[in-house]
Amino acid sequence: MKLKFIIGVAFALSNGMLFGQSSVRLERPDEKLTISRHIYGHFAEHLGRCIYDGFYVGEKNDSIPHKNGVRTDVIEALKKLNIPNLRWPGGCFADTYHWKDGVGPKTQRPSMVNSWWGGVTEDNTFGTHDFLNMCELLGAEPYLAGNVGSGEVQELTDWVQYVNFAGKSPMSDWRRKNGRDEPWKVKFWGVGNEAWGCGGNMTADYYTDIYRKYATFMSDWTNGGGLYRIASGANSADYNWTETLMKKIPNSLMKGMGLHHYAVINWNKKGSAVNYSEEEYFKTMKSAWFMNELVEKNITIMDKYDPKGNVDLIVDEWGGWYEVEPGTNPGFLYQQNTMRDAMIAGMTLNIFNNHARRVKMANLAQAVNVLQAVVLTEGKKMILTPTYHVMEMYKVHQDAKLIPITLQSTDFELNNEKIPAVSVSASQDADGRTHISLVNIDPKKKNKVRVDLASLKASKVSGRILTSDNLRDYNSFKMPAKIAPAVYKDAKLLNGAVEVDIPAFSVIVLEII
């Protein structure tokens, strides 16, 4: 993939307002490379109010519309994102979860203590059938994270057989007894989670051996079941972890390798989700922009050991992480979602799009009521966050041909540190429409961007914008539509280029035909 990034600085005064000048050049669409829809995946962990009181309100609930206990408003909201996949049951929870406790008659299921997230007791009423049937409602592919930390090989192989095997076997017979005749045919399987931390505090060498063992017994030696096995990848910049896995795990046993990175100011003092200073905002965006370096360095290592590109990079946890909202359970990780989160989402998705050669899946943490959620619920009420709106605007990139770009951006600068103010990605869909997503993270300066269309023909440009009056604005249950996409009419098409004025802290998606 051809991607060039150049940082420059150019400021001027226009009507008394400081602005930056940036430029983008589009290359020819890459006919062989599409932006996988799975980059726009989501994550649902048994954590706080994500599953219980988020997705699932119970079959006997008579006050909130649901289908088999799953909220219909949440389902409809996620379907509008064209949600491609959903990761479950964790996260850290996955390596303490024993799937057999979550099938069969609900009144007979044993309870468990969620020791990772709040020490709450769960009754296992939401289990494998509930999740996989919910994925069918969503039209999303399930991504199951297997228990490697506290489980056994047999437990995971039994799970594969239970959900995937169509013939007669102990596990498929049990599935039928529990009310499901046809298998779900789950493709995506995580072999453990964060094995370097909550998944067992393993070394890279030890996990590599464990992974090889689990992956071997999950299918036959030719992987006849077509499983897409995903290894627990590095914690942010642990490149030794990546190198060890790529060096020691055969391609035949691993289709994807994970990577986790959160935009965090300080793990011991994360700061407020709403009341943050300009310095805190800059540090958050700097951490979010670090994703670009992480992806590029991991790709370099992967190319060294896998030059044919057989193994995909899977960023199955990403997003902003702050202190919980005042008065909420610290273990539930419930936080508000402001325009800062829209900036994180827009910038990060542009990074993934531009590295679509290797990045084939990503999972925002998390879907409902946890961390950088796209949906928040409160009783009967449901609201869509700024992050939701960014993902809805960006869905035009799903499975579209990547258009490589050359970008020259001004800087967002504070206290003698700087990062690019503008990020961009572009694609061409099956109908020949070109889509360009642009983000200006600078909280004070608008940015004039000239997009050189090069050989692309254009007769009309339209667009949508997500912005607000204040960087710290958010949608609340009292004002659920304070932030929402609006029509953008200020793009100008002339002389083979598009000129755009991007307001401070804004996201714009253009469509060119």
Side-chain angles (χ1 to χ4, degrees):
M1 192 206 84
K2 183 179 179 183
L3 172 65
K4 296 180 180 178
F5 194 91
I6 306 169
I7 308 298
V9 181
F11 298 117
L13 285 172
S14 175
N15 298 322
M17 179 179 287
L18 198 62
F19 69 86
Q21 182 75 48
S22 301
S23 63
V24 183
R25 179 180 170 83
L26 304 188
E27 309 298 338
R28 289 182 178 275
D30 192 324
E31 298 295 333
K32 298 180 180 180
L33 182 56
T34 61
I35 297 172
S36 171
R37 67 185 185 279
H38 290 294
I39 284 173
Y40 292 81
H42 293 266
F43 178 24
E45 184 169 3
H46 283 247
L47 196 173
R49 296 192 302 112
C50 183
I51 299 297
Y52 299 105
D53 198 37
F55 278 105
Y56 183 75
V57 293
E59 290 90 335
K60 295 181 180 180
N61 192 304
D62 58 6
S63 62
I64 298 174
H66 63 86
K67 183 174 178 60
N68 297 324
V70 176
R71 292 183 68 130
T72 53
D73 55 357
V74 171
I75 293 296
E76 291 307 310
L78 293 177
K79 286 174 69 174
K80 290 178 182 176
L81 296 181
N82 293 346
I83 176 174
N85 67 74
L86 187 62
R87 180 176 181 242
W88 177 85
C92 291
F93 182 83
D95 283 296
T96 59
Y97 181 68
H98 300 283
W99 71 270
K100 292 179 182 180
D101 293 341
V103 299
K106 296 197 175 189
T107 57
Q108 298 177 21
R109 296 179 188 179
S111 61
M112 66 171 293
V113 176
N114 189 339
S115 56
W116 285 111
W117 306 117
V120 298
T121 299
E122 298 195 12
D123 61 8
N124 275 311
T125 52
F126 188 91
T128 295
H129 286 250
D130 305 273
F131 174 71
L132 296 180
N133 291 341
M134 183 176 78
C135 285
E136 289 183 336
L137 289 176
L138 288 166
E141 290 198 58
Y143 170 9
L144 293 178
N147 182 344
V148 171
S150 69
E152 298 292 339
V153 173
Q154 187 67 51
E155 182 177 4
L156 185 52
T157 58
D158 282 350
W159 205 12
V160 174
Q161 188 181 101
Y162 186 91
V163 303
N164 281 1
F165 190 62
K168 183 175 177 57
S169 74
M171 291 298 106
S172 57
D173 287 348
W174 191 24
R175 181 190 70 238
R176 294 184 185 98
K177 181 180 179 181
N178 291 330
R180 174 78 182 200
D181 184 30
E182 294 299 317
W184 290 277
K185 292 295 182 183
V186 176
K187 175 182 178 181
F188 297 111
W189 292 85
V191 184
N193 168 76
E194 296 189 355
W196 41 263
C198 64
N201 280 307
M202 304 177 193
T203 64
D205 285 308
Y206 181 78
Y207 172 71
T208 296
D209 288 340
I210 292 292
Y211 175 90
R212 290 164 64 116
K213 180 179 178 181
Y214 272 78
T216 297
F217 288 99
M218 289 171 70
S219 186
D220 59 73
W221 70 280
T222 61
N223 192 25
L227 303 186
Y228 190 111
R229 291 164 291 189
I230 301 170
S232 172
N235 176 21
S236 198
D238 185 355
Y239 301 114
N240 175 66
W241 187 278
T242 301
E243 183 122 20
T244 301
L245 268 58
M246 291 301 300
K247 184 191 302 184
K248 296 187 176 182
I249 299 176
N251 287 174
S252 60
L253 291 178
M254 178 174 65
K255 180 56 181 170
M257 184 187 65
L259 171 66
H260 291 182
H261 174 67
Y262 288 92
V264 177
I265 298 172
N266 182 328
W267 282 105
N268 297 316
K269 191 177 180 181
K270 303 182 190 71
S272 168
V274 175
N275 299 312
Y276 45 87
S277 66
E278 183 178 2
E279 182 178 8
E280 288 175 319
Y281 173 72
F282 180 87
K283 288 181 177 179
T284 301
M285 299 315 300
K286 182 181 178 183
S287 182
W289 174 241
F290 185 55
M291 181 68 81
N292 190 70
E293 181 177 325
L294 287 172
V295 167
E296 290 185 345
K297 288 188 175 181
N298 274 280
I299 288 174
T300 298
I301 296 169
M302 296 174 80
D303 285 347
K304 175 182 175 182
Y305 295 98
D306 175 34
K308 293 184 179 180
N310 293 318
V311 180
D312 301 329
L313 183 57
I314 312 296
V315 190
D316 44 11
E317 289 188 30
W318 67 273
W321 194 323
Y322 321 112
E323 302 295 348
V324 302
E325 292 304 296
T328 64
N329 188 317
F332 286 5
L333 305 187
Y334 178 81
Q335 63 189 40
Q336 250 301 345
N337 199 291
T338 71
M339 283 299 299
R340 172 172 64 173
D341 297 282
M343 298 299 99
I344 293 173
M347 173 196 286
T348 304
L349 291 171
N350 282 340
I351 291 170
F352 295 158
N353 289 347
N354 287 325
H355 294 89
R357 178 175 67 87
R358 277 282 187 184
V359 180
K360 299 299 183 181
M361 181 190 286
N363 301 82
L364 174 68
Q366 290 188 10
V368 185
N369 291 332
V370 174
L371 297 176
Q372 193 175 337
V374 293
V375 171
L376 300 177
T377 66
E378 185 180 89
K380 299 179 182 180
K381 300 177 182 178
M382 184 198 75
I383 58 174
L384 309 178
T385 68
T387 299
Y388 175 96
H389 293 307
V390 172
M391 298 199 83
E392 188 276 327
M393 291 167 68
Y394 273 50
K395 70 182 181 182
V396 293
H397 291 303
Q398 293 186 22
D399 289 336
K401 288 183 289 190
L402 177 69
I403 299 178
I405 65 168
T406 301
L407 170 63
Q408 181 173 343
S409 172
T410 59
D411 295 325
F412 169 27
E413 193 168 1
L414 187 71
N415 298 332
N416 297 319
E417 291 188 278
K418 58 187 179 182
I419 54 178
V422 174
S423 74
V424 181
S425 66
S427 67
Q428 189 177 78
D429 68 17
D431 295 322
R433 296 172 297 190
T434 296
H435 294 101
I436 308 169
S437 49
L438 306 101
V439 182
N440 176 19
I441 66 170
D442 196 304
K444 295 181 178 179
K445 304 183 185 77
K446 68 177 182 179
N447 216 290
K448 289 183 175 292
V449 182
R450 185 180 187 277
V451 182
D452 184 350
L453 301 177
S455 61
L456 291 174
K457 296 180 180 180
S459 60
K460 181 182 178 182
V461 59
S462 59
R464 299 167 74 202
I465 184 170
L466 188 75
T467 191
S468 194
D469 294 332
N470 191 297
L471 178 64
R472 295 159 187 83
D473 283 346
Y474 57 89
N475 290 335
S476 68
F477 292 99
K478 291 182 179 180
M479 298 184 66
K482 185 178 183 66
I483 300 171
V487 174
Y488 179 73
K489 299 179 179 179
D490 295 334
K492 300 174 182 177
L493 184 61
L494 44 92
N495 300 323
V498 178
E499 292 186 353
V500 188
D501 283 347
I502 314 179
F505 59 93
S506 296
V507 178
I508 292 175
V509 175
L510 301 177
E511 179 174 283
I512 299 172
I513 58 176

